[in-house]
Amino acid sequence: MTLRHLLEVDDLTADELAMVLDLAEVDPPARPLEGRGVGLVFEKPSARTRNATEMAVVQLGGHPVSMRGEEVGLDGRESAEDLARILSGYHAVIGARVFAHATVERMTDTASVPVVNLLSDTAHPTQALADLLTLRQHLGPLAGRQLAWVGDANNVFRSLSLGAALAGMGVRIASPEGYGPGEEHLERVRARGGEVVATTEPLEAVAGADVVATDVWASMGQEDEAAARRADFAGAGFTVDQALMAAAGPGAVFLHCLPAHRGEEVAAEVVDGPASLVWVEAANRMHAARGLLLFLLGATS
Ligand code: CP
Ligand code: NVA
């Protein structure tokens, strides 16, 4: 079996993405991890990703071992390359949440088992899988649907926009000046088959959209910029509130990877309101992780 990693969602083809989502819904799942481990390294905090991935491993018969980056001394006590080589001797899969995307790339240089990016500064592919699973369950086939992202063109946006394109969705993003996606990313989305529009006007992005999504204004690692970002995003009117949701298409749903900051990127009336799928989305992190693990371990259906 060819060794596969998932550092970004477009490491999957469109067919493979659909297969991962199908595998996420297989109940009861096979137990290919019986007697095997999955090593999970976290350089940053996590509630959903750690719990969802650990429990997905348990459901597949395996044993998760979660480690804080400082506990194993990632790139201090030991290089990421050496750690990945060592963990490959114990585990069937390695997951890593890292600051620099290059760290998880370096782990693939020496790992002899699949490596999964559990969030880096540029990507959050396992979140995108859960988001697409949630949308597919709620909306049915995703081809032709419109995703509107309102906010920072961050790791979550990058992965979700690539995944949405692979699923046949159109993508629109509104960000304040200076916080939008680069042309390189837009080209990458287009290369995956997605029509993508970038604007600075939230109303333009959400018009007629089936899905409105956002995320925090300052991601982990950007704490020093938080005040400036809050001023830039709030000043430009980037809170997803009821008025903005009303400008989206009929029946539009709201997604947020969480944790959410009510009153900043999203109003409480939206994240806690009837259009919000965030709790299902969070629960789906586990199902999507299970589908991904099954895929990486060689399951095809
Ligand atoms: N959405 C998400 O990745 O949550 P955690 O940071 O809690 O894992
Ligand atoms: N963009 C956020 C997502 C957290 C799940 C971050 O990187 O902090």
Side-chain angles (χ1 to χ4, degrees):
M1 199 181 100
T2 324
L3 179 59
R4 295 288 298 269
H5 305 292
L6 188 88
L7 301 195
E8 179 51 292
V9 75
D10 62 355
D11 290 340
L12 301 170
T13 65
D15 286 348
E16 288 171 342
L17 171 62
M19 192 189 302
V20 169
L21 301 188
D22 289 345
L23 288 167
E25 293 187 310
V26 172
D27 183 25
R31 292 173 66 84
L33 285 173
E34 203 79 61
R36 305 169 82 191
V38 170
L40 305 168
V41 186
F42 289 89
E43 276 194 316
K44 296 174 179 174
S46 172
R48 279 144 291 269
T49 306
R50 177 175 169 183
N51 281 276
T53 312
E54 286 199 6
M55 288 315 299
V57 171
V58 169
Q59 290 170 347
L60 300 179
H63 179 81
V65 178
S66 288
M67 295 149 270
R68 291 287 309 197
E70 61 263 35
E71 173 190 357
V72 287
L74 187 67
D75 278 333
R77 182 168 184 257
E78 189 157 41
S79 70
E81 287 89 343
D82 282 2
L83 185 66
R85 189 183 296 246
I86 297 304
L87 293 177
S88 297
Y90 312 129
H91 296 295
V93 177
I94 296 169
R97 169 168 285 199
V98 297
F99 283 98
H101 189 76
T103 305
V104 77
E105 287 178 333
R106 285 164 48 224
M107 292 175 89
T108 66
D109 292 343
T110 52
S112 53
V113 299
V115 175
V116 176
N117 177 8
L118 299 177
L119 182 148
S120 66
D121 54 358
T122 66
H124 196 1
T126 62
Q127 180 70 52
L129 295 176
D131 294 357
L132 295 169
L133 180 65
T134 306
L135 293 177
R136 202 177 76 160
Q137 289 169 345
H138 190 83
L139 300 172
L142 296 180
R145 297 287 194 167
Q146 283 293 329
L147 167 72
W149 181 273
V150 177
D152 192 20
N154 64 10
N155 45 6
V156 174
F157 164 74
R158 286 196 193 93
S159 293
L160 182 55
S161 55
L162 290 167
L166 284 171
M169 298 179 75
V171 179
R172 283 188 236 126
I173 174 170
S175 319
E177 207 71 61
Y179 295 101
E183 195 51 42
E184 195 181 327
H185 181 77
L186 297 178
E187 278 310 315
R188 186 165 165 179
V189 175
R190 289 185 190 113
R192 304 296 171 263
E195 285 180 22
V196 59
V197 173
T199 171
T200 53
E201 295 297 330
L203 278 170
E204 189 185 330
V206 303
D210 300 292
V211 185
V212 177
T214 190
D215 187 14
V216 292
W217 292 336
S219 287
M220 292 180 280
Q222 296 175 329
E223 288 76 11
D224 292 353
E225 299 172 33
R229 284 173 165 264
R230 199 174 300 121
D232 290 344
F233 282 82
F238 270 75
T239 302
V240 177
D241 57 14
Q242 201 47 56
L244 201 60
M245 287 303 294
V253 295
F254 174 74
L255 291 185
H256 190 311
C257 63
L258 305 179
H261 295 160
R262 290 171 176 78
E264 294 193 11
E265 77 277 3
V266 63
E269 64 194 6
V270 172
V271 70
D272 298 317
S276 174
L277 297 182
V278 300
W279 313 114
V280 181
E281 180 186 6
N284 272 336
R285 293 295 309 278
M286 177 174 71
H287 304 300
R290 206 175 55 241
L292 176 65
L293 288 168
L294 283 168
F295 173 80
L296 292 173
L297 293 165
T300 50
S301 62

